[in-house]
């Protein structure tokens, strides 16, 4: 038995009395390499699943009670609710994510006849923009499918249900990228996903003599109630105006030239800038994946740098701290590309760094970051992992 499995079962026994019949599950977080804020604009994304994520030890109950406990929030104790009372409540805190997925499963007609005892343990730093919420949603779908024998539920369904519950139960109008990356992850591969059709292909991440480093600014981003929903609304406003002059379904249908020729119909400056990012970022993502397939890691890195500037200037979705991390990285020889990753407004940067420059990268970025912000950055060398599984 793996160490982590044993640790979770032992902890389950402490919290819930005994551990007979417990199963342990995992679902990964994700890092997005390029293609930011394109997923709700009908564009492309290029994320990969991580080997960090969220674990659950789970057992069915005989009654309809739902008991949730998180090893990350021990002070909250066991949070109790019931399958007969699934309304969102103000004090749900993190349990709103598993509750939302259970609610979405039953809403789709899947039979969840009994309650559950659930112990959670997450290895993704909270608020880092590496999709701790999506991993918890996909994890919940994974254990519901297994515990209740819902074998007709596919991994793409897990992603869709996760997104649906986050939109409709948690009030965060996210796209499908995070849940899709978690549910469909494949070791050593990124996922090139067309969010308009959900067609996708796996792209092996072979970076020759370089690696992927995630740097956490430790400035927490909280997307619920943040500017995220505003950005989405600004894109929708721009799209509605563009639709009067071009025959498109989404901003992802536009190329750069058609956007430039028609952008004057967008009346507000902020909406025009957001739409510009969505259009150019989608095209950049397509070009970046092609560059990677051609073995041109340097070109991929340059597109990442452009993506950062676009996200920071046109989309106004970075923050001063992550800009400092990225600009410090750009100065270092051996850094092929660096950009903010995820929803933004805090969180992490992702960088492609030559193996020979990793130590210099860590020390120089850390020093400049601390000097300018007084904050400490954390660094993780990324390993790309698989989707959800039962341990
Ligand atoms: C968050 C959302 C995703 C996506 C990214 C930005 O992570 O959950 O759907 O929109 O932001 O690319």
């Amino acid at each position: 038995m793996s160490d982590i499995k044993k640790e979770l079962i032992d902890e389950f026994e402490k919290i819930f009395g005994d551990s007979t019949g417990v199963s342990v599950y995992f679902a990964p977080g994700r890092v997005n390499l390029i293609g930011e804020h394109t997923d709700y604009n009908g564009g492309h994304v290029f994320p990969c699943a991580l080997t960090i994520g969220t674990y659950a030890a789970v057992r069915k109950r005989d009654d309809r009670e739902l008991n949730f406990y998180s090893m990350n929030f021990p002070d909250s104790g066991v949070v109790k609710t019931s399958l007969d009372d699934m309304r969102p409540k103000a004090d749900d805190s993190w349990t709103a994510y598993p509750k939302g997925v259970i609610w979405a499963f039953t809403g789709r007609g899947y039979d969840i006849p009994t309650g559950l005892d659930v112990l959670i343990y997450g290895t993704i730093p909270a608020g880092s923009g590496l999709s701790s919420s999506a991993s918890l949603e996909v994890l919940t779908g994974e254990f519901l499918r297994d515990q209740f024998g819902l074998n007709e539920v596919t991994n793409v369904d897990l992603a869709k249900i996760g997104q649906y519950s986050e939109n409709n139960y948690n009030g965060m109008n996210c796209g499908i990228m995070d849940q899709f990356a978690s549910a469909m992850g494949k070791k050593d591969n990124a996922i090139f996903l067309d969010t308009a059709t959900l067609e996708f292909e796996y792209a092996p991440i072979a970076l020759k003599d370089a690696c992927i480093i995630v740097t956490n600014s430790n400035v927490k981003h909280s997307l619920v109630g943040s500017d995220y929903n505003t950005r989405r609304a600004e894109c929708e406003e721009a799209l509605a105006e563009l639709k009067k002059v071009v025959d498109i379904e989404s901003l992802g249908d536009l190329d750069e030239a058609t956007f430039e020729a028609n952008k004057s119909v967008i009346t507000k400056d902020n909406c025009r800038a957001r739409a510009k990012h969505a259009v150019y970022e989608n095209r950049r993502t397509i070009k970046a994946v092609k560059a990677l397939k051609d073995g041109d890691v340097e070109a991929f890195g340059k597109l990442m740098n452009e993506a950062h500037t676009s996200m920071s200037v046109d989309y106004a979705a970075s923050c001063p701290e992550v800009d400092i991390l990225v600009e410090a990285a750009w100065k270092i020889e051996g850094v092929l590309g660096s950009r903010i990753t995820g929803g933004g407004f805090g969180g992490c940067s992702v960088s492609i760094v030559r193996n020979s420059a990793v130590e210099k990268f860590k020390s120089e970025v850390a020093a400049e970051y601390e000097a300018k912000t007084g904050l400490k950055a954390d660094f993780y060398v990324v390993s790309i992992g698989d989707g959800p599984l039962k341990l």
Side-chain angles (χ1 to χ4, degrees), residues 181-347:
S182 178
M184 300 297 289
K186 185 173 168 184
K187 190 176 175 348
D188 297 333
N189 283 259
I191 308 171
F192 182 41
L193 170 69
D194 179 348
T195 63
T197 59
L198 292 194
E199 275 171 31
F200 69 98
E201 65 182 87
Y202 290 112
I205 296 298
L207 299 175
K208 293 188 257 181
D209 59 345
C211 61
I212 302 171
I213 300 187
V214 166
T215 308
N216 192 351
S217 68
N218 289 312
V219 174
K220 288 209 165 52
H221 90 149
S222 165
L223 293 179
V224 182
S226 77
D227 291 333
Y228 184 96
N229 288 351
T230 312
R231 292 290 172 279
R232 187 164 181 163
E234 288 168 331
C235 287
E236 277 159 15
E237 200 174 321
L239 175 65
E241 291 181 310
L242 281 165
K243 274 182 161 177
K244 293 181 194 151
V245 292
V246 277
D247 183 18
I248 51 168
E249 290 293 319
S250 70
L251 295 175
D253 291 337
L254 284 177
D255 58 29
E256 298 93 329
T258 317
F259 174 75
E260 293 299 334
N262 292 283
K263 67 181 183 189
S264 59
V265 294
I266 306 170
T267 40
K268 293 186 192 151
D269 291 347
N270 57 325
C271 296
R272 200 177 318 110
R274 309 308 179 238
K276 180 181 175 202
H277 167 81
V279 169
Y280 279 71
E281 179 77 354
N282 178 41
R283 295 287 145 173
R284 244 189 315 267
T285 305
I286 298 168
K287 284 181 212 156
V289 175
K290 184 173 180 309
L292 200 64
K293 281 187 187 158
D294 295 343
D296 192 348
V297 187
E298 288 78 7
F300 186 87
K302 286 206 182 89
L303 289 160
M304 285 175 76
N305 296 346
E306 285 174 24
H308 180 78
T309 304
S310 177
M311 175 96 161
S312 181
V313 176
D314 288 328
Y315 219 67
S318 184
C319 65
E321 293 84 353
V322 181
D323 284 345
I324 289 169
L325 283 181
V326 168
E327 284 159 23
W330 286 348
K331 289 186 218 156
I332 298 166
E333 211 188 312
V335 173
L336 302 179
S338 186
R339 57 177 284 274
I340 189 168
T341 184
F345 311 107

Side-chain angles (χ1 to χ4, degrees), residues 13 19 57 112 116-117 125 143 168 176 183 190 253 258-259 270 300 308 319 334 357 389:
E13 196 162 309
S19 59
I112 310 288
L116 298 156
D117 292 331
F143 69 64
N168 296 288
I176 189 116
D253 291 337
T258 317
F259 174 75
N270 57 325
F300 186 87
H308 180 78
C319 65
L389 53 96

Side-chain angles (χ1 to χ4, degrees), residues 30 35-37 39-40 172 174-178 223 228 342-343:
R30 66 95 188 90
E36 220 66 83
H37 290 277
D39 63 345
Y40 50 84
M172 153 68 180
C174 62
I176 189 116
M177 170 170 73
D178 304 349
L223 293 179
Y228 184 96

